[in-house]
Amino acid sequence: MDVINELILGAVTSPWLYLVMFAAAVIDGFFPPIPSETVLVAAAAVAVSTGGSNLLLLCAVAAVGAAIGDNLAYLIGRGVGTTRFAWMRRPPIAAAFDRAGRTLGRRGAPLILGARYIPVGRVAVNMSAGALRYPWRRFLPLSVIGGVTWAAYSALIGVVAGKLFEDQPFLSSVIGVAVALVLGLVVDRVAAARRRRRERSEAAAGASGTEEAEADDHPVLVLVGE
């Protein structure tokens, strides 16, 4: 364990940490397998438990990288659409693109901000925004706000874990990453449940409107007795 802790301390105190954090945040904006949350949470946890790096600078680097990555995803969507590559046509990814496209026109701002916290979701939303020509002048400030709040949220998880397990950088980073993964799953499930309720409500409203229209098409004959 002591050897692992020393390796972690060496990584966190290295100036390369900021470059790795920036690169992970940028690439994660359009390639979800890169775990930028994991890097930030773990680094923040170790930084707090050991004082090995500048936490504010780490958050700033992560926020800038996240905003750049989200805008790159937007530009990719604008340039190539959401169906050109084989991975885009896989059922889960295609379904995410479809949901994002249907929601962007009605709830663009909350969708873009909320998707920043869901790895696959943010890629689908940001690329769909580009493909559907969502105005970039609106997307840019939303991506900046999303990057800043995401970085603060992820770092906060790491800070809490680091405070709870001081002088144990390995354990604090593991606990912090585990908590972040669980919270991400909860956010994803809550968003999915809300989406299903909204879709059921819209379907019910549509069915009601269809019934009313059919009733209007069949006038009632009133017989008046003499």
Side-chain angles (χ1 to χ4, degrees):
M1 183 66 73
D2 290 338
V3 174
I4 295 176
N5 285 335
E6 289 177 6
L7 290 173
I8 293 174
L9 288 174
V12 172
T13 55
S14 170
W16 287 101
L17 172 66
Y18 302 104
L19 180 59
V20 170
M21 183 71 261
F22 178 77
V26 170
I27 297 172
D28 190 23
F30 56 88
F31 189 64
I34 299 298
S36 59
E37 285 95 349
T38 300
V39 176
L40 181 52
V41 170
V46 176
V48 169
S49 63
T50 64
S53 61
N54 187 323
L55 185 58
L56 289 178
L57 178 58
L58 186 67
C59 287
V61 168
V64 172
I68 292 174
D70 288 351
N71 279 271
L72 285 175
Y74 176 93
L75 292 175
I76 291 172
R78 189 156 190 157
V80 305
T82 58
T83 59
R84 178 171 298 183
F85 301 111
W87 66 269
M88 295 177 174
R89 296 190 294 273
R90 293 175 182 171
I93 305 299
F97 280 133
D98 180 62
R99 288 192 299 268
R102 285 187 284 108
T103 309
L104 267 170
R106 296 170 295 157
R107 301 173 57 254
L111 180 64
I112 292 168
L113 292 174
R116 167 69 345 232
Y117 297 85
I118 306 172
V120 176
R122 61 174 167 253
V123 175
V125 168
N126 295 336
M127 290 184 69
S128 296
L132 296 173
R133 298 297 194 268
Y134 186 86
W136 185 69
R137 67 180 182 277
R138 298 181 189 172
F139 182 86
L140 177 60
L142 290 172
S143 67
V144 172
I145 294 171
V148 171
T149 56
W150 166 83
Y153 158 82
S154 300
L156 179 61
I157 295 174
V159 167
V160 172
K163 288 291 186 182
L164 291 175
F165 301 96
E166 290 188 53
D167 302 323
Q168 301 182 63
F170 175 69
L171 183 59
S172 65
S173 62
V174 170
I175 296 297
V177 170
V179 171
L181 291 174
V182 171
L183 289 177
L185 181 61
V186 170
V187 170
D188 187 32
R189 294 299 89 197
V190 169
R194 292 184 61 185
R195 183 178 62 250
R196 286 193 296 269
R197 285 198 300 269
R198 185 171 61 251
E199 289 174 350
R200 285 196 297 267
S201 298
E202 291 173 352
S208 176
T210 301
E211 291 175 358
E212 291 178 0
E214 290 177 350
D216 290 340
D217 289 340
H218 296 82
V220 178
L221 297 178
V222 178
L223 299 179
V224 180
E226 294 181 359

